[in-house]
Amino acid sequence: MGYWPPWSLQAFELTVTTYLGADGSLQQPLPAFASVEMRTGLYQDMVLTRTFDAKAIALQRTGRLGTYASCLGQEAVGVGIGRAMQPDDVLVPSFREHGAQLVRGVTLIELFAFWGGDERGSNFAVAQHDFPVSITVGGHAPHAAGVALAFKLRGQARASVCVYGDGATSKGDVYEAMNLAGVWRLPVVFVVNNNQWAISTPRKEQTAAIALSDKAVGAGFSGEQVDGNDVIAVHTVISSALDRARSGQGPHLVECLTYRLGDHTTADDARRYRDDGEVTRWWQQDPLARMRAHLTSEGVWSRDQEEALLKACAAKVEAAAEAYLAAPPAAPESIFDHLFARLPDALLDQRTAVMERAETDDA
Amino acid sequence: MGYWPPWSLQAFELTVTTYLGADGSLQQPLPAFASVEMRTGLYQDMVLTRTFDAKAIALQRTGRLGTYASCLGQEAVGVGIGRAMQPDDVLVPSFREHGAQLVRGVTLIELFAFWGGDERGSNFAVAQHDFPVSITVGGHAPHAAGVALAFKLRGQARASVCVYGDGATSKGDVYEAMNLAGVWRLPVVFVVNNNQWAISTPRKEQTAAIALSDKAVGAGFSGEQVDGNDVIAVHTVISSALDRARSGQGPHLVECLTYRLGDHTTADDARRYRDDGEVTRWWQQDPLARMRAHLTSEGVWSRDQEEALLKACAAKVEAAAEAYLAAPPAAPESIFDHLFARLPDALLDQRTAVMERAETDDA
Amino acid sequence: MPEHTLLEAVNLALRRAMSEDERVLVLGEDVGIDGGVFRATDGLYQAFGAQRVFDTPLAETVIAGAAIGLATQGFRPVAEIQFMGFIYSTIDQMVNHASRLRNRTRGRLTCPMVLRAPFGGGIRAPEHHSESAEAMFAHIPGLRVVIPSSPTRAYGLLLAAIADPDPVVFLEPKRIYRAFKEDIDTSSAPLPLDRCFVTRPGRDVTVVTWGAMHVEALDAAAIVEDEDIDVEVIDVATLKPLDEATILESVTRTGRLVIAHEAPLTAGFGAEIAARIAEKGLFDLKAPIRRVAGWDTVMPLPKLERLYMPTAAQIVNAIRSVMAYQ
Amino acid sequence: MPEHTLLEAVNLALRRAMSEDERVLVLGEDVGIDGGVFRATDGLYQAFGAQRVFDTPLAETVIAGAAIGLATQGFRPVAEIQFMGFIYSTIDQMVNHASRLRNRTRGRLTCPMVLRAPFGGGIRAPEHHSESAEAMFAHIPGLRVVIPSSPTRAYGLLLAAIADPDPVVFLEPKRIYRAFKEDIDTSSAPLPLDRCFVTRPGRDVTVVTWGAMHVEALDAAAIVEDEDIDVEVIDVATLKPLDEATILESVTRTGRLVIAHEAPLTAGFGAEIAARIAEKGLFDLKAPIRRVAGWDTVMPLPKLERLYMPTAAQIVNAIRSVMAYQ
Ligand SMILES: Cc1ncc(C[n+]2csc(CCOP(=O)(O)OP(=O)(O)O)c2C)c(N)n1
Ligand SMILES: Cc1ncc(C[n+]2csc(CCOP(=O)(O)OP(=O)(O)O)c2C)c(N)n1
Ligand SMILES: [Mg+2]
Ligand SMILES: [Mg+2]
């Protein structure tokens, strides 16, 4: 494998890309891609994501979904990533990128199934090359590098996008993957979904690095920060990084500055370790409110449209939830049927036994 | 654990500290510590290290030592580190720091024993707190962080020094250790013994980072490069880093630029993968020749002194080699006797069996 | 005396060890102000402060590795891995360093550390949150592997693990963290780290088990009692070093052995126990040795998890099958 | 036909797989121009170029992890870990990802990769260069674990491992890398990945083994031949999935079982084989099942290494001891 002349350290000045202020006001001229249609589309995706999120929590609270990781407040990151990608790019997500997954074509039913504890939820009908959720923090980063290497070897203009949290930046796996991507100049964009907390551990106790985007320096490529609650900014920065990656200019690290408005998961109680005040302050930065204010002030979004959208999202999510709840359970033997391409003879007895056991249990 | 306000990125400009040019000429005024006595001492340590190194290779070639990793050409790094440390600092070395170990009080006999395949060689009589050689690349870095944390918790003005190669900088273990040291501001100095090769993998294929000292950026502390073939420079830079660490100013990364003049180990043949020309060029940078030229030109080192030194080193090394070769083998049951503080009853039978087996084998 | 769950027992043991020995430290992800995701370290940060209890960055390799460094300097670190599914990143440190430092240096540097992790399934948790990888650690020379199955044993064994001068992997069966309570005498002595516990004496068949399966074994024993089958239940407790003598003595008496564990069957630790008896107790066996274990599959996600988990019913079947041999 | 060592057989299999299938890639530390520290990949870089053979940075986790990524995209990566002592950093990737991707996605993403590593002791190597950790991998559902013990089997099994649509851990007994030669038919078919090999038929006692110990087993069989003991030797070859039937059939005939491996005794893979027979072949056993294995110690450094390594002499002792039962 060759090496490549590294970027200059100059690339690492800290500027945070933002288009929309917290009140929705424009901070700089909009990028070319941001047509009205595109902006309303981004907003609609975020609303759908939030609607799904609320339903997932509700289902969990009533015992009809497993432990669930909410993305409340981080919708702009997921949607911005998902919309910046081309269909044949590959998403290698963590567990808080529901927005990205939805935009990529993962269905609401698949998401409910996954979080409901059904492997079929990761057998995406549409996003067939995307990776499933990685529950191990950081363990998926090496895969993104491998996927990008495959694209490079085949000379394809495709890229992989690896998303992980602020906590994950402390894992050696992530570092090793970035270092490999750097030295082999792989078409991969690393995205830190920095929601300021890793369960109870705040960002500042995770690392002394000035910015998490600085983690790219040691891997020999560039990084930058973006306002993660500004979906236009996220989209812009990740689109450019992807363009560069696909055209052979190597990896890039994007740190999205955002905030986890909810608990870590439905099994967590964030009030044990963080101030309500902090949460309240970050609600001022709500990515949905910001975008809605922007669209309203531009006169391209009305109260009627808003109501219709909320209704439509609720209907979609309800329908998906019902389909999820009504889905027949997977067959008992399915726990053996996807272990290998062909089940080794040595396991046939166990497969039979689990079917028998299921019958006995049901009887 | 608290966090600390990180260093500024400004600290990362690339300057390579050097005092002695390749011809021994002074590049800048000598630092205060570098008395004539100190300089001749450093030179003597390097010569002893090289004498040991040659003998170790010779013993290996004749089947009387195990696989051995030569430090030929890297003596200034080892000796510079060893002399910069205080006795109660703790060295956490890789496998190419024989010079540092010798200066720290590890005996020649212990070194021979270790490389001869005898665990007793790591039971240092003098350097009692130092770690043994780490054969796993990078696996020792977390230990250095833990040791430094112990010093910090006890409020002791001590530091640990963790040394590893250019190849090791790619390991996630090293990154995790540096990140922890950064965020907890631990008194540890990380030293990259950058000899340009990791077996057959050149530095440039290891990482796209501009300098290996840049690896500190992501961990939130400072790093710098030093001419690793200039023992005065190595000593100076590491001494200052240690002073800062001991006084609570946190970790630092020092990249020593040097070169592996020999094969990776006695089991390697470097001509398979690198140019003789490169090796010849680096011989011009020989740390011993450079220091000798300097001392000679300063009029503080004579041909007689040189001859006497070589003779004395040879005699010391020969005596140690003989003592090593004459040492009675460890008892068979010693393979059980240091596994636990008290051998569990469950293993008593095995211990007896190995003693019986040794008798049968000998008979 | 107050009644305590297994989880509380872990907390009480940590508290007592920290009170009695200032060398004891606690580190891991979210072990501080949050008290651990299961609350095993609840209140320790508040009671002992930031010099004794550390929230680490999210990095399991350096959690284990820094604990090793601390241990060499005379501290007694108790490192928590949040779930056993994330313990694999520590294996390199545990096998290549923790288990070897004493031997490597002929006793000069030692490694009195405890690596704690909740393990096992049955709580409908996400992927990787239900692992039972004890067999991997039990294969590593120089380590102790301890698994409590009741509040009192959790208390006494954890005290012993912390006091032990060598590295101990301490795995806590999270399914029974809060399943039942026992009285805990907080002035009691540590329990031995090289003994199995006969938790129910019996005549006809020996059931050897550990962790959350111990409860299933007791349930199974109660069920077959009605069939006049008298089951002896042994909680292995310390898998390494294994107290072979207690198991052998029992099987010699009963002539029948059933081994139950949650981990996948193949190369699980049950195999080791079967192998020992097949060597040393063969001629006392009246019946084949049966293992009740997890399938050789990946642990299913919650919807099908119950089909993976061995339960009292499977143990009962195994007991009946060995009782068929007279 | 030319004669080849086991090491050359590995090289020949890689060469053939790379020639016949352009999806096959080789990656690892020093596998390129250097041809690997043992020369297993010698000449591949020169023959197939920098698009097929990659020297990686020194980072085992991402070697395994990048191989997983490549595999999901239709490549067939063969990743080398330089020595098994450095494989522990890959366990998280292998257990949490490689072995599960297919199952996790119901077959949508698959992981046809091979993780190769030289393993075992007896070559007077430095610390960590003599590991036998096969039991850890054999416990992981969803993986195959393959260990050849001769040049022809190395050739046929590695071809099969590379062609297999699922992840395979392929461990090469480095002590016999160059110990003996065999003819290799480079047009031969791959060998099955679910069969043990009966390498010496016999009547009186079954010796089951793998890796470098296989040679010791054959030597032991030859030694006791003079005592009129007829030994059947079985090379397990594929530890996972285990071909229980072949072993069981043999033990049913001979009534005696000796298992020999280099890894430490406790929770070694020998235990699994003993446990299977103690369940399914108990009443055919005339003698206790004996395991000849490494001690439950850290592998000693070279000076005392010979006291660790099980040899033909220990196997002979075990054979005699089981023959004492009639
Ligand atoms: C390797 C690993 N260690 C520990 C955990 C348990 N855990 C799950 S999420 C989490 C925090 C993750 O923080 P971050 O990376 O910031 O992502 P976030 O949850 O904030 O999105 C932890 C510790 C895990 N899943 N994987
Ligand atoms: C974790 C690990 N992987 C692989 C090896 C095999 N190995 C021994 S030394 C070495 C190269 C080390 O290079 P570097 O870190 O630059 O140190 P140097 O040998 O040049 O001093 C390798 C790959 C090892 N010892 N440990
Ligand atoms: Mg976070
Ligand atoms: Mg090097």
Side-chain angles (χ1 to χ4, degrees):
Chain A
M1 209 60 205
Y3 67 102
W4 56 290
W7 302 66
S8 123
L9 268 181
Q10 312 315 322
F12 293 92
E13 266 162 41
L14 286 180
T15 54
V16 181
T17 303
T18 316
Y19 289 90
L20 303 181
D23 59 356
S25 61
L26 270 187
Q27 309 295 303
Q28 57 168 313
L30 285 173
F33 84 91
S35 62
V36 169
E37 199 191 334
M38 174 59 104
R39 278 175 285 155
T40 50
L42 289 168
Y43 178 63
Q44 288 162 346
D45 291 337
M46 292 197 294
V47 172
L48 180 64
T49 304
R50 186 166 289 185
T51 312
F52 161 76
D53 202 76
K55 182 71 188 178
I57 293 172
L59 286 174
Q60 193 282 334
R61 295 275 181 252
T62 51
R64 291 174 297 167
L65 204 79
T67 304
Y68 172 73
S70 163
C71 67
L72 185 69
Q74 302 179 236
E75 295 88 349
V77 177
V79 168
I81 291 169
R83 282 275 170 224
M85 293 175 70
Q86 295 294 328
D88 66 351
D89 292 334
V90 166
L91 178 68
V92 187
S94 156
F95 43 80
R96 221 180 281 281
E97 284 75 50
H98 322 311
Q101 291 188 298
L102 283 173
V103 170
R104 299 275 303 155
V106 177
T107 66
L108 289 162
I109 300 178
E110 285 165 353
L111 285 185
F112 280 128
F114 171 75
W115 291 100
D118 185 333
E119 286 83 356
R120 293 175 299 183
S122 293
N123 188 6
F124 311 145
V126 172
Q128 292 210 5
H129 296 285
D130 282 2
F131 271 59
V133 156
S134 177
I135 295 289
T136 67
V137 168
H140 60 315
H143 311 159
V147 169
L149 176 57
F151 297 157
K152 181 172 173 147
L153 291 174
R154 295 207 171 108
Q156 295 171 324
R158 300 166 67 187
S160 64
V161 176
C162 185
V163 194
Y164 44 85
D166 42 305
T169 65
S170 297
K171 279 289 282 185
D173 316 32
V174 173
Y175 168 74
E176 290 191 10
M178 289 203 302
N179 190 56
L180 188 81
V183 73
W184 289 356
R185 204 171 187 168
L186 301 177
V188 46
V189 176
F190 295 100
V191 184
V192 185
N193 199 341
N194 176 6
N195 63 6
Q196 312 300 334
W197 291 89
I199 308 187
S200 72
T201 307
R203 153 66 182 86
K204 65 179 165 21
E205 291 185 22
Q206 201 64 244
T207 182
I210 300 174
L212 297 180
S213 54
D214 286 350
K215 301 276 177 182
V217 177
F221 56 87
S222 54
E224 71 188 293
Q225 292 185 313
V226 61
D227 183 334
N229 285 8
D230 175 349
V231 68
I232 299 177
V234 172
H235 186 290
T236 305
V237 165
I238 293 185
S239 295
S240 325
L242 278 168
D243 285 344
R244 290 196 303 273
R246 288 193 214 96
S247 64
Q249 293 175 69
H252 186 65
L253 176 61
V254 178
E255 176 186 2
C256 301
L257 296 162
T258 180
Y259 192 79
R260 196 192 79 206
L261 289 172
D263 293 329
H264 169 69
T265 64
T266 49
D268 176 53
D269 175 6
R271 281 163 311 168
R272 287 179 66 90
Y273 52 78
R274 72 177 182 188
D275 271 357
D276 283 349
E278 184 181 289
V279 182
T280 312
R281 276 197 307 284
W282 274 94
W283 265 111
Q284 318 291 313
Q285 305 284 335
D286 177 13
L288 274 68
R290 186 188 297 201
M291 189 65 165
R292 190 170 49 241
H294 164 72
L295 294 174
T296 309
S297 76
E298 298 261 303
V300 297
W301 193 251
S302 67
R303 189 171 297 224
D304 285 355
Q305 280 170 301
E306 177 73 12
E307 269 170 28
L309 173 64
L310 293 178
K311 214 179 263 172
C313 287
K316 264 195 219 171
V317 167
E318 285 303 325
E322 269 164 41
Y324 151 70
L325 292 168
E333 64 272 26
S334 69
I335 73 174
F336 283 98
D337 289 346
H338 303 281
L339 210 52
F340 295 96
R342 195 186 135 273
L343 192 69
D345 294 349
L347 293 178
L348 290 175
D349 286 354
Q350 290 193 13
R351 183 174 183 277
T352 308
V354 81
M355 292 167 71
E356 283 165 12
R357 175 166 170 187
E359 274 172 35
T360 328
D361 284 6
D362 290 347
Chain B
M1 209 59 206
Y3 67 101
W4 55 291
W7 303 65
S8 123
L9 268 182
Q10 312 314 323
F12 293 93
E13 265 162 44
L14 287 179
T15 53
V16 181
T17 304
T18 316
Y19 289 92
L20 302 181
D23 59 356
S25 61
L26 271 186
Q27 309 294 302
Q28 58 168 312
L30 284 173
F33 83 89
S35 63
V36 169
E37 199 191 334
M38 175 57 107
R39 278 174 285 154
T40 52
L42 290 167
Y43 178 63
Q44 288 162 347
D45 290 338
M46 292 198 293
V47 171
L48 180 65
T49 304
R50 186 166 289 185
T51 312
F52 161 76
D53 201 76
K55 183 69 188 178
I57 293 173
L59 286 173
Q60 193 282 334
R61 296 271 182 255
T62 52
R64 290 173 297 166
L65 203 81
T67 304
Y68 172 74
S70 163
C71 68
L72 185 69
Q74 303 179 236
E75 296 88 350
V77 176
V79 168
I81 292 169
R83 282 276 169 224
M85 293 175 71
Q86 295 294 329
D88 66 351
D89 292 334
V90 165
L91 179 67
V92 187
S94 156
F95 44 79
R96 220 180 281 284
E97 284 74 50
H98 321 311
Q101 292 188 296
L102 283 173
V103 170
R104 299 274 304 155
V106 177
T107 66
L108 290 162
I109 300 177
E110 286 164 353
L111 285 185
F112 281 128
F114 171 75
W115 291 100
D118 185 334
E119 286 82 355
R120 293 175 300 182
S122 293
N123 189 4
F124 311 145
V126 173
Q128 291 210 7
H129 295 284
D130 282 3
F131 271 58
V133 156
S134 176
I135 294 290
T136 66
V137 168
H140 60 316
H143 312 160
V147 169
L149 175 57
F151 298 158
K152 181 172 173 146
L153 291 174
R154 294 208 171 107
Q156 295 172 323
R158 299 167 68 188
S160 65
V161 176
C162 185
V163 195
Y164 44 83
D166 42 304
T169 64
S170 298
K171 280 289 282 186
D173 316 31
V174 172
Y175 167 74
E176 290 190 10
M178 290 202 302
N179 190 57
L180 188 81
V183 73
W184 288 356
R185 204 171 187 167
L186 301 177
V188 46
V189 176
F190 295 100
V191 184
V192 185
N193 199 339
N194 176 7
N195 63 5
Q196 312 300 335
W197 291 88
I199 309 187
S200 72
T201 307
R203 152 67 182 85
K204 64 179 167 19
E205 291 185 23
Q206 202 64 243
T207 181
I210 300 175
L212 298 180
S213 53
D214 286 350
K215 301 275 177 182
V217 178
F221 55 87
S222 55
E224 70 188 293
Q225 292 184 311
V226 60
D227 184 335
N229 286 8
D230 175 348
V231 68
I232 299 176
V234 173
H235 186 290
T236 306
V237 165
I238 294 185
S239 296
S240 324
L242 278 168
D243 284 345
R244 291 197 301 274
R246 287 192 216 96
S247 65
Q249 294 176 69
H252 186 65
L253 175 61
V254 179
E255 177 186 3
C256 300
L257 297 162
T258 181
Y259 192 78
R260 195 192 79 206
L261 289 172
D263 293 329
H264 170 69
T265 65
T266 50
D268 175 53
D269 174 6
R271 281 164 312 167
R272 287 177 67 89
Y273 53 78
R274 72 178 182 188
D275 272 357
D276 284 349
E278 183 180 290
V279 182
T280 312
R281 276 196 307 284
W282 275 93
W283 265 110
Q284 317 292 315
Q285 306 283 335
D286 177 14
L288 274 69
R290 187 189 296 201
M291 190 64 165
R292 190 168 50 240
H294 164 71
L295 294 174
T296 309
S297 75
E298 299 261 304
V300 297
W301 192 250
S302 68
R303 188 170 299 224
D304 285 356
Q305 279 172 299
E306 176 74 11
E307 270 170 26
L309 173 64
L310 292 178
K311 215 179 262 173
C313 287
K316 262 195 217 168
V317 166
E318 285 302 324
E322 269 164 42
Y324 152 67
L325 292 168
E333 64 273 24
S334 68
I335 72 176
F336 283 98
D337 289 346
H338 303 282
L339 211 51
F340 296 96
R342 193 185 138 275
L343 192 68
D345 294 348
L347 293 177
L348 290 176
D349 285 353
Q350 290 193 14
R351 183 175 183 275
T352 308
V354 82
M355 292 168 71
E356 283 165 12
R357 175 168 169 185
E359 274 171 33
T360 327
D361 285 5
D362 290 347
Chain C
M1 262 187 295
E3 291 223 312
H4 294 288
T5 63
L6 197 155
L7 183 64
E8 288 160 359
V10 167
N11 187 276
L12 286 174
L14 288 169
R15 240 169 234 278
R16 178 163 154 203
M18 293 187 81
S19 308
E20 293 181 355
D21 184 348
E22 62 176 17
R23 298 171 304 172
V24 178
L25 308 174
V26 164
L27 70 161
E29 294 157 12
D30 308 295
V31 298
I33 196 161
D34 195 35
V37 294
F38 285 102
R39 311 288 172 250
T41 58
D42 198 21
L44 299 181
Y45 177 84
Q46 291 78 0
F48 299 97
Q51 295 286 305
R52 305 281 303 278
V53 181
F54 320 115
D55 277 337
T56 62
L58 205 170
E60 283 78 8
T61 302
V62 79
I63 291 174
I68 293 171
L70 284 166
T72 64
Q73 302 307 304
F75 282 100
R76 307 231 150 194
V78 182
E80 175 176 305
I81 300 299
Q82 206 160 73
F83 287 87
M84 193 170 200
F86 314 126
I87 210 169
Y88 304 110
S89 302
T90 73
I91 292 187
D92 183 59
Q93 286 293 324
M94 297 310 288
V95 59
N96 278 337
H97 298 288
S99 71
R100 299 185 182 199
L101 259 183
R102 178 189 290 276
N103 185 66
R104 182 183 288 150
T105 61
R106 303 284 96 169
R108 184 172 60 83
L109 296 180
T110 64
C111 195
M113 67 176 279
V114 177
L115 191 72
R116 290 179 49 241
F119 88 111
I123 62 161
R124 302 180 59 79
E127 202 187 349
H128 309 291
H129 287 66
S130 306
E131 312 279 304
S132 298
E134 66 272 16
M136 289 190 180
F137 288 93
H139 189 45
I140 303 175
L143 287 188
R144 288 176 200 272
V145 179
V146 179
I147 299 180
S149 69
S150 76
T152 46
R153 282 193 295 283
Y155 184 75
L157 291 169
L158 184 51
L159 283 181
I162 297 171
D164 193 81
D166 290 301
V168 180
V169 175
F170 192 87
L171 303 174
E172 299 162 10
K174 66 171 113 58
R175 182 157 70 91
I176 56 168
Y177 256 160
R178 299 185 177 93
F180 59 99
K181 296 182 175 191
E182 286 178 350
D183 286 345
I184 288 175
D185 173 359
T186 53
S187 64
S188 60
L191 289 169
L193 288 185
D194 55 1
R195 290 286 169 271
C196 296
F197 296 86
V198 178
T199 52
R200 181 194 155 115
R203 214 179 38 230
D204 299 323
V205 48
T206 305
V207 176
V208 176
T209 190
W210 54 91
M213 288 296 288
H214 180 251
V215 179
E216 304 293 328
L218 291 179
D219 285 355
I223 292 169
V224 297
E225 200 170 349
D226 293 346
E227 302 163 25
D228 253 349
I229 304 175
D230 191 13
V231 176
E232 174 146 316
V233 175
I234 298 182
D235 173 18
V236 176
T238 298
L239 276 65
K240 193 180 187 81
L242 179 65
D243 173 12
E244 181 185 291
T246 297
I247 299 171
L248 188 58
E249 186 280 326
S250 173
V251 177
T252 306
R253 267 189 293 107
T254 63
R256 298 183 189 85
L257 174 59
V258 169
I259 304 160
H261 60 71
E262 220 182 283
L265 178 83
T266 296
F269 193 71
E272 180 59 31
I273 293 169
R276 300 271 181 125
I277 301 305
E279 173 154 16
K280 308 210 178 142
L282 187 78
F283 297 116
D284 296 306
L285 283 172
K286 297 177 192 151
I289 301 175
R290 292 261 187 266
R291 286 180 289 164
V292 175
W295 311 115
D296 287 315
T297 57
V298 175
M299 166 73 77
L301 293 188
K303 289 265 197 244
L304 294 183
E305 184 184 17
R306 73 187 156 77
L307 291 174
Y308 176 94
M309 299 293 294
T311 62
Q314 276 74 45
I315 302 176
V316 165
N317 288 345
I319 292 171
R320 288 184 188 140
S321 83
V322 295
M323 286 308 294
Y325 297 83
Q326 287 303 332
Chain D
M1 264 187 293
E3 292 222 314
H4 293 289
T5 62
L6 197 157
L7 183 63
E8 289 161 357
V10 168
N11 187 274
L12 286 174
L14 289 169
R15 241 170 234 278
R16 179 164 153 202
M18 294 188 80
S19 309
E20 294 181 354
D21 185 349
E22 62 177 16
R23 298 171 305 173
V24 178
L25 308 174
V26 164
L27 70 160
E29 294 158 13
D30 309 296
V31 297
I33 196 161
D34 196 34
V37 294
F38 285 104
R39 311 289 173 251
T41 57
D42 197 22
L44 299 181
Y45 177 83
Q46 291 79 357
F48 298 98
Q51 294 287 305
R52 306 281 302 280
V53 182
F54 320 115
D55 277 337
T56 62
L58 205 169
E60 283 79 9
T61 302
V62 78
I63 291 174
I68 293 171
L70 283 166
T72 63
Q73 302 305 305
F75 283 100
R76 305 232 150 193
V78 183
E80 176 177 303
I81 299 299
Q82 206 160 74
F83 287 87
M84 193 170 201
F86 314 127
I87 209 168
Y88 303 110
S89 303
T90 73
I91 291 186
D92 182 60
Q93 286 293 323
M94 298 309 289
V95 60
N96 278 338
H97 298 288
S99 73
R100 298 185 182 201
L101 258 184
R102 178 189 290 278
N103 187 68
R104 182 183 288 151
T105 61
R106 302 285 95 169
R108 184 172 60 84
L109 296 180
T110 64
C111 195
M113 68 175 280
V114 178
L115 191 72
R116 290 180 46 242
F119 89 109
I123 61 161
R124 303 179 58 77
E127 201 186 350
H128 308 292
H129 287 66
S130 306
E131 310 280 304
S132 298
E134 66 272 15
M136 288 190 181
F137 289 93
H139 189 45
I140 303 175
L143 286 189
R144 289 175 200 272
V145 180
V146 179
I147 298 181
S149 69
S150 76
T152 46
R153 282 191 295 281
Y155 184 76
L157 291 169
L158 184 51
L159 284 181
I162 297 171
D164 194 82
D166 290 301
V168 180
V169 175
F170 192 87
L171 303 174
E172 300 162 9
K174 65 171 113 61
R175 182 157 70 90
I176 57 167
Y177 256 160
R178 300 184 176 93
F180 60 98
K181 298 183 174 188
E182 285 178 350
D183 287 344
I184 287 175
D185 173 359
T186 53
S187 64
S188 59
L191 289 169
L193 288 186
D194 55 1
R195 290 285 170 271
C196 298
F197 296 88
V198 179
T199 53
R200 181 193 154 118
R203 214 180 38 231
D204 298 323
V205 47
T206 305
V207 176
V208 175
T209 188
W210 54 89
M213 288 297 289
H214 180 252
V215 178
E216 304 293 328
L218 290 178
D219 285 355
I223 292 169
V224 297
E225 199 170 348
D226 293 347
E227 300 164 26
D228 254 347
I229 304 176
D230 190 15
V231 176
E232 175 146 315
V233 175
I234 298 181
D235 174 19
V236 177
T238 298
L239 276 66
K240 193 182 188 82
L242 180 65
D243 173 13
E244 181 185 288
T246 297
I247 299 171
L248 187 58
E249 185 281 325
S250 173
V251 177
T252 307
R253 267 189 292 107
T254 63
R256 299 183 188 85
L257 174 58
V258 170
I259 303 161
H261 61 68
E262 221 182 283
L265 179 81
T266 297
F269 193 70
E272 180 60 31
I273 293 170
R276 300 272 181 125
I277 302 304
E279 172 153 16
K280 308 211 177 143
L282 186 79
F283 297 116
D284 296 306
L285 283 173
K286 298 177 190 148
I289 300 174
R290 292 264 187 263
R291 284 180 292 163
V292 175
W295 311 116
D296 287 315
T297 58
V298 175
M299 167 71 78
L301 293 188
K303 289 265 199 242
L304 294 183
E305 183 183 17
R306 74 187 154 76
L307 291 174
Y308 176 94
M309 298 293 294
T311 62
Q314 276 75 45
I315 301 175
V316 165
N317 288 346
I319 291 171
R320 288 185 188 138
S321 83
V322 295
M323 286 308 295
Y325 297 83
Q326 287 302 334

